[in-house]
Amino acid sequence: MNGENPTMSEPAVDSAGVVEAESQASSGPDPALHPEIPRPVLECQNLTLHYGDKMALNDVTMKMGENLITAYIGPSGCGKSTLLRCLNRLNDLIPSVRIDGDVKLQGESILGADQDVNLLRKRIGMVFQKSNPFPKS
């Protein structure tokens, strides 16, 4: 045993020499990946989006809470802006877009054909990096 504690196991190390995290099985799901959202105001449920044959979002399920700040962080081209455009239906303006799943604002679906998108866009505003006050300007 060479003076080692027999009750402690060696941590798993991957091929790059990085110590792998211990399993969350005993303590439940990782709260960073599965946060408790007490009063979700916006929910995406199994949201999948295609531009023609190209899948841009794949089965996105998440909740956004009231009075909480939510940040989308990721590399260029990973779908951040596409997801944001789903939240106020800007993707409707692209003829080749197909959306499956649902997005709910305060419990009501915003993707239905009967949804007034102008009213929705007043409730869910967007601020872009580059301003474009007039189309084709």
Side-chain angles (χ1 to χ4, degrees):
M1 289 253 219
N2 299 341
E4 294 179 21
N5 185 342
T7 60
M8 294 189 62
S9 61
E10 290 292 320
V13 178
D14 69 10
S15 61
V18 176
V19 176
E20 296 177 0
E22 289 186 29
S23 171
Q24 294 287 326
S26 61
S27 61
D30 183 344
L33 300 175
H34 303 282
E36 288 295 321
I37 306 292
R39 293 180 309 277
V41 292
L42 196 61
E43 297 181 63
C44 296
Q45 299 172 333
N46 307 105
L47 187 66
T48 299
L49 182 137
H50 289 85
Y51 292 113
D53 293 334
K54 182 175 179 351
M55 182 184 302
L57 298 176
N58 183 15
D59 198 28
V60 175
T61 298
M62 60 183 284
K63 296 178 182 180
M64 289 175 248
E66 184 177 39
N67 300 321
L68 296 176
I69 296 171
T70 302
Y72 299 107
I73 301 170
S76 177
C78 73
K80 301 178 302 290
S81 295
T82 299
L83 177 60
L84 290 173
R85 291 171 59 87
C86 285
L87 301 182
N88 71 355
R89 300 212 15 205
L90 285 174
N91 288 316
D92 291 8
L93 304 173
I94 303 169
S96 66
V97 165
R98 185 179 85 245
I99 300 174
D100 298 310
D102 201 8
V103 177
K104 293 183 179 183
L105 177 64
Q106 296 176 329
E108 294 183 29
S109 177
I110 66 169
L111 297 181
D114 60 338
Q115 179 71 41
D116 181 346
V117 294
N118 291 319
L119 181 60
L120 174 68
R121 291 175 186 152
K122 287 181 181 179
R123 296 179 68 195
I124 301 177
M126 309 246 345
V127 178
F128 297 95
Q129 286 181 318
K130 291 184 178 182
S131 62
N132 186 11
F134 304 106
K136 300 181 182 177
S137 64

